[in-house]
Amino acid sequence: MAEAALNENRREPWEKFHHWMCCVCVVMFDLELGQALELVIPSDYPLSEKEKSNICYLAFPDSNSGCLGDTQFHFRIKSSGPGCGGCSPMYTEEHNAAPLVLMPDQTHYFGYVYFRQVKDADVKRGYFQKSVLILSRLPYPALFSHVVEKIASDYFANGEPALEAVCHSINHWPLPRPGHVIHLPLMGELIYIRIPSKADKPSDAKIMTNSSMLKSASAATVIPSVHEPNLYQALLLPVVSNFETIWELVLLNEPLAVMATSPTLCANAVQALVSLIQPLKYCGDYRPYFTIHDSEFKAYTTKTQPPPLIILGVTNPFFTKTLEHWPHIVRIGESSHKGHESSTKVYRRSTTAGSRLDTVDIKPGARLLWQLLVDQTSYRYLHTLSSLSES
């Protein structure tokens, strides 16, 4: 008993909190400064000036897309500050049993954003604009989108003390152990999750829906998957006619830009693209949401070099011009998510010199004919090898 108490005293003040998230940030809009970091919990979490700048710009929608009310999305940025280089050995060890796609990202941060914009006569510009976001190393968009919605709503209603209180309660959460059903208390609600394990069998996927313990729990919220997006809603419905082609593009790590009308559609589509090849891990870079103010904007949009091997999600119409040289572009509009005729378009630049950029309108039930990603020389080579192996 005494040894357990001693170990508890030795524990870092935010140790359990950091097993789940790095910090919680509040970003406000200042008339003179623009986006500004108003609050960070814990206050001593080390962020570089470059990271702070990227976080501030990514916490707000990048275009006049009519984001009135509450908007949720997520982003991914490179870590470059004192926290660069990854996680503590203990933090990583807790996740060793997880599949590779769910391991903590040692070189990037994930930001899970809850943005609010409402009319306010007391504000000089006439609008109240503020974001609450969770910064984490864990690629758990389904879980953290739910968590940030809860804590942001409480913050907007009750202010900074409420946010500090909920962060301290998160500091008492159990460790994120893969393969176990974990219950996370949050503001009077009990969240049930299960982080997949490397040793999982197909039947283990049903644990979160069949458990009698979950059914008997009152005031409980069950999140069936901490990471999987709704593929049909985010991707299949808008680009169902091109699904196989897009799967090939992701598998071959081709440069791919997603242009959407809102950060939510954009981030969900990019996350769905990355998850298409699971259980394989997408080893290229991907940015669910990217803005013109990002520190890597010039590197990703330069026309003097080939496009980088990355999946890029954008909303600002300015990217229509700056990314016109990219070989593969997917456009996702609001109507493709409302059961109406899809406004999605897929652009595919032919590899033939001097050819123009072809545009294809995607409509429900349309049949599209695409060139093979493998060129004719490679195809003949593969055919020759196949013939030799048969003889």
Side-chain angles (χ1 to χ4, degrees):
M1 184 72 70
E3 184 178 352
L6 183 61
N7 290 335
E8 183 68 20
N9 290 333
R10 288 175 178 174
R11 186 165 63 87
E12 293 294 325
W14 292 94
E15 183 177 308
K16 287 190 174 181
F17 178 91
H18 287 314
H19 278 276
W20 292 95
M21 52 192 77
C22 301
C23 60
V24 174
C25 305
V26 176
V27 179
M28 62 173 290
F29 186 86
D30 185 276
L31 279 174
E32 297 181 359
L33 302 175
Q35 285 98 305
L37 202 56
E38 180 181 1
L39 178 66
V40 179
I41 302 176
S43 58
D44 60 350
Y45 186 78
L47 290 171
S48 68
E49 291 304 314
K50 181 179 178 180
E51 289 169 341
K52 291 179 181 178
S53 175
N54 282 335
I55 289 169
C56 285
Y57 281 117
L58 286 166
F60 279 44
D62 189 31
S63 63
N64 298 323
S65 53
C67 293
L68 210 57
D70 296 342
T71 305
Q72 282 191 255
F73 57 95
H74 66 282
F75 61 80
R76 181 173 179 263
I77 59 171
K78 290 181 180 178
S79 54
S80 57
C84 183
C87 320
S88 68
M90 182 189 299
Y91 179 75
T92 307
E93 183 180 350
E94 291 295 337
H95 296 82
N96 277 341
L100 192 60
V101 294
L102 294 181
M103 290 289 286
D105 196 322
Q106 304 257 2
T107 57
H108 291 79
Y109 288 119
F110 295 90
Y112 304 95
V113 181
Y114 192 95
F115 168 72
R116 173 167 291 183
Q117 177 174 258
V118 293
K119 291 184 178 181
D120 189 341
D122 296 331
V123 179
K124 190 173 182 179
R125 296 185 69 202
Y127 286 92
F128 170 89
Q129 295 174 305
K130 190 172 284 192
S131 287
V132 177
L133 67 93
I134 292 173
L135 206 64
S136 177
R137 299 279 187 181
L138 300 175
Y140 298 171
L143 169 62
F144 287 122
S145 293
H146 177 78
V147 173
V148 76
E149 179 182 9
K150 294 279 293 183
I151 66 175
S153 298
D154 190 42
Y155 167 76
F156 289 131
N158 302 306
E160 184 177 330
L163 189 59
E164 291 179 349
V166 75
C167 288
H168 282 287
S169 71
I170 292 173
N171 195 36
H172 295 282
W173 278 5
L175 297 179
R177 290 195 172 95
H180 298 269
V181 175
I182 306 171
H183 61 274
L184 308 174
L186 183 70
M187 300 166 50
E189 175 189 42
L190 207 53
I191 304 172
Y192 283 90
I193 65 167
R194 182 181 183 275
I195 302 169
S197 167
K198 293 176 184 175
D200 278 355
K201 300 176 182 178
S203 58
D204 293 331
K206 300 179 181 179
I207 290 178
M208 294 304 293
T209 56
N210 295 342
S211 176
S212 59
M213 174 187 65
L214 302 182
K215 293 178 181 178
S216 62
S218 60
T221 297
V222 179
I223 298 180
S225 172
V226 296
H227 67 291
E228 292 178 328
N230 185 327
L231 280 177
Y232 180 78
Q233 184 180 19
L235 194 62
L236 284 180
L237 180 60
V239 295
V240 64
S241 301
N242 297 276
F243 183 73
E244 292 182 1
T245 301
I246 291 177
W247 179 83
E248 290 179 0
L249 294 175
V250 176
L251 188 65
L252 297 177
N253 197 19
E254 283 281 315
L256 180 61
V258 175
M259 295 184 178
T261 53
S262 74
T264 305
L265 294 178
C266 175
N268 289 345
V270 172
Q271 195 67 41
L273 287 170
V274 172
S275 69
L276 282 181
I277 61 173
Q278 290 181 7
L280 298 178
K281 181 180 180 180
Y282 181 76
C283 293
D285 195 7
Y286 67 98
R287 304 291 293 274
Y289 183 56
F290 186 78
T291 76
I292 61 175
H293 303 287
D294 194 282
S295 57
E296 295 177 292
F297 172 77
K298 290 184 178 179
Y300 289 163
T301 59
T302 180
K303 296 183 180 180
T304 59
Q305 297 179 357
L309 304 180
I310 186 174
I311 300 178
L312 206 63
V314 299
T315 60
N316 196 317
F318 182 69
F319 283 103
T320 304
K321 183 68 176 176
T322 57
L323 297 182
E324 65 179 358
H325 63 293
W326 277 47
H328 317 294
I329 298 176
V330 175
R331 292 182 178 273
I332 298 180
E334 289 285 354
S335 61
S336 61
H337 290 259
K338 296 179 180 179
H340 301 146
E341 187 174 280
S342 175
S343 63
T344 304
K345 294 183 179 179
V346 172
Y347 291 76
R348 179 78 184 281
R349 182 182 294 278
S350 173
T351 55
T352 306
S355 62
R356 64 183 179 83
L357 184 68
D358 296 325
T359 303
V360 180
D361 286 327
I362 300 177
K363 299 179 180 180
R367 182 177 183 272
L368 302 176
L369 298 177
W370 296 91
Q371 297 175 352
L372 288 173
L373 293 180
V374 182
D375 59 43
Q376 292 300 314
T377 303
S378 300
Y379 178 78
R380 286 194 293 269
Y381 176 70
L382 292 172
H383 180 71
T384 302
L385 290 180
S386 177
S387 301
L388 290 174
S389 64
E390 292 175 358
S391 59

